[in-house]
């Protein structure tokens, strides 16, 4: 299959693994690392690209995202980074 690339597809986008997204009161949230704590940040999502979801608003490219947060992770929880 072949198709033309849309103009919007030519620009770089910020995207995260769909596993990083959490439902939070009818909204989507992502945990980001702030120092040694996890902070839940509400995000506005866009298109899905396979296992990645576009993020329009809420985080920046510099943020460190928790890509597979455990079910019991809560806002403000102290975390240990595994690098």
């Amino acid at each position: 299959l072949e198709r033309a690339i849309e103009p919007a597809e030519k620009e770089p986008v910020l995207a995260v693994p769909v596993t990083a997204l959490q439902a939070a009161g009818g909204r989507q949230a992502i945990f980001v690392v702030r120092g040694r704590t996890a902070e839940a940040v509400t995000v506005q999502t866009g298109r899905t690209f396979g296992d990645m979801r576009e993020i329009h608003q809420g985080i920046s490219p510099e943020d460190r995202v928790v890509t597979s947060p455990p079910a019991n992770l809560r806002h403000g929880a102290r975390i240990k980074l595994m690098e």
Side-chain angles (χ1 to χ4, degrees):
L1 293 174
E2 229 178 88
R3 70 173 177 83
I5 296 175
E6 299 291 327
E9 295 174 326
K10 293 180 182 179
E11 297 297 319
V13 298
L14 178 60
V16 299
V18 294
T19 57
L21 293 163
Q22 305 289 306
R27 297 186 172 142
Q28 295 286 311
I30 293 175
F31 283 102
V32 295
V33 177
R34 301 270 193 251
R36 292 186 179 198
T37 60
E39 181 179 311
V41 177
T42 301
V43 294
Q44 180 183 10
T45 60
R47 299 169 292 177
T48 300
F49 304 96
D51 62 349
M52 302 293 284
R53 178 83 42 88
E54 180 179 23
I55 304 297
H56 289 292
Q57 192 173 25
I59 64 170
S60 69
E62 294 79 30
D63 285 323
R64 295 181 80 176
V65 173
V66 180
T67 57
S68 296
N72 62 348
L73 185 61
R74 299 288 178 256
H75 178 79
R78 194 165 176 87
I79 58 173
K80 181 178 180 181
L81 297 177
M82 306 297 287
E83 305 227 14

